[in-house]
Amino acid sequence: MIHSVRWRLFLSFLLVIVVAVGAVAVFVSRTTSSEVQQYETRTQDVRVGRVGSLLAAYYLESQGWTGVEPVVDQIARLYNQRLVVVDDQGLVVADSHGVMHVGQEGEFQPNDRPIPIMAGPARFGTLVVLPQGPPPGASASEDTSATSLSSSINGYLVWSGLIAVLVAALVTLFMSRRILSPAESLAHAARALSRGDFSQRVKVRSQDEFGELASAFNTMAEDLERTEQLRRNLVADVAHELRTPLSNIQGHLEAIRDGLLPAEPATFDSIYEEALLLSRLVEDLQELTLAEAGQLTLLRQSADVADIARRAVAAAQPPAEAKGLTIETHLPTQPAIAEVDPERIGQVLRNLLSNATTHTSDGGRIIVDLKDEDDELSISVADTGAGIPPEDLPYVFERFYRVDRSRVRATGGAGLGLTIAKRLVEAHGGTIGVESELGKGSRFTFTLPKNAPPAPQHPHAPPNDEQI
């Protein structure tokens, strides 16, 4: 448990709090002790001054020190100190504790503070204040010593510091749980995601860094879920696409072997068409894999893109006419020259035309338009088909994505044509997009730079080839 971020954060905060409170307590204790000591010294000076004034007044009033002992005892009890008074001859006239006898010579330590008792310029004797308790049998007055006051203050500081540390620890524990709760939720969701549960989402509770991380995680989870769904669709689609022609080929061969079908050219033509379907699917998968791996070669050369478009339209005429579709072209009469791979650009146009033919109802139109702009060529293929729902538009170029999930093999390929077209256009340095409106048709438009920079050379490619 000590290795968890929560406890490390808690212990780190707690250590900082303890050090901070301890440093403040030490500073306050030392400062307070110093201030109390200075205050005690100033108070002592004031007291001594008052005592000296009282004794001077007594001396003047009594014309001597006779009978001063009770006064000294009373003052000593009041201030809780030992007071010794000596005359101007150095003889003791009063000792509040009775240690020194009246009339003997006063004996004091070097640290004792003698204070002269004076009235104007005349000196009548000396007062010595000794920091000792009251006389035996006397009731102690209030203890106002600096040590006692400092001890009391330090005691309060210790208890206040302990209470502050306890409260800070509780607040730190609560805040660490609150701060790290989003991280724990992310960790829990990530573990579930790693086990294949792509439905995991994290609730975004804030707009801070954890909120951004939660949003990024949710986006990643959505992408993974969609990718996983596409992968499953891929397996199902490829299995379906392969199963049908393979079943047809197997059925024809078994029929020929059993003598149910004659071994004549028409039978072999049917088997050959099914083999072509298998070959086209395998080639599409291979090209898409190479394109996404950056290993598809481009043989660039100066080519007339308008002529490439005419040849692609000519190849698309038979299936379009079979459905009663009309293909219109708006191509420039002057050559539209660009540095491209003619075969790959022709493949892009054929894929777009095939897609338009598949999704346009009988009697509709397909329009191919080419515009020669300053630095690029813009080619569009529009149709009058059913259109694409807005929610499907962002995904039409994803591999194996089908707008119509119920589409069967008879209506088209495996859903790779648009993905391959996108990869080939981007390999030429261009862009491709789609505009669509339900019930009115779709328009696919791609651009090609006239002078595209060469693509990075792949280490295994032929010297003059370009790869993506």
Side-chain angles (χ1 to χ4, degrees), residues 30 38 41 71 83 90 125 167 172 203 234 238 251 332 377 386 459 464:
R30 294 176 64 89
Q38 293 179 14
T41 301
V71 176
L83 301 179
V167 173
T172 301
K203 185 177 181 180
L234 164 63
V238 171
L377 301 176
N464 296 327

Side-chain angles (χ1 to χ4, degrees), residues 110-133:
N111 295 331
D112 296 337
R113 295 172 56 194
I115 295 100
I117 302 173
M118 303 179 67
R123 178 171 179 170
F124 309 127
T126 303
L127 172 66
V128 181
V129 180
L130 303 175
Q132 298 183 17

Side-chain angles (χ1 to χ4, degrees), residues 13-30:
F13 283 170
L14 187 60
L15 178 61
V16 171
I17 292 168
V18 170
V19 171
V21 171
V24 171
V26 171
F27 174 77
V28 172
S29 176
R30 294 176 64 89

Side-chain angles (χ1 to χ4, degrees), residues 388-400:
I388 303 172
E391 62 272 15
D392 290 316
L393 280 177
Y395 312 113
V396 295
F397 292 105
E398 291 188 359
R399 54 182 176 179
F400 301 105

Side-chain angles (χ1 to χ4, degrees), residues 2 8 59 106 154 167 174-175 191 205 208 219 292 299 326 361 367 391 395 397 411 425 445 447:
I2 194 67
R8 282 186 290 173
Y59 182 88
N154 290 336
V167 173
F174 172 76
M175 292 303 297
R191 286 193 293 268
R205 296 185 175 89
D208 56 8
T219 301
E292 291 181 343
L299 303 177
T326 303
S361 302
I367 302 98
E391 62 272 15
Y395 312 113
F397 292 105
T411 62
V425 169
T445 303
T447 61

Side-chain angles (χ1 to χ4, degrees), residues 301-384:
Q301 57 183 286
S302 295
D304 182 4
V305 179
D307 184 61
I308 297 174
R310 292 188 187 94
R311 286 188 273 117
V313 169
Q317 284 287 1
E321 292 177 354
K323 290 188 62 175
L325 304 180
T326 303
I327 301 180
E328 299 180 6
T329 58
H330 301 283
L331 306 175
T333 57
Q334 299 296 327
I337 305 299
E339 292 289 330
V340 297
D341 184 332
E343 178 60 30
R344 297 301 186 185
I345 298 304
Q347 184 178 0
V348 172
L349 285 167
R350 289 192 296 272
N351 287 350
L352 294 179
L353 288 168
S354 175
N355 183 74
T357 301
T358 300
H359 295 92
T360 304
S361 302
D362 296 352
R365 291 186 304 151
I366 300 175
I367 302 98
V368 179
D369 183 73
L370 190 153
K371 294 181 180 178
D372 191 346
E373 300 176 351
D374 293 336
D375 298 324
E376 64 182 15
L377 301 176
S378 177
I379 305 99
S380 65
V381 176
D383 61 63
T384 58

Side-chain angles (χ1 to χ4, degrees), residues 10 168-180:
F10 170 73
L170 294 176
V171 173
T172 301
L173 182 61
F174 172 76
M175 292 303 297
S176 64
R177 290 174 60 90
R178 185 175 181 85
I179 291 173
L180 295 178

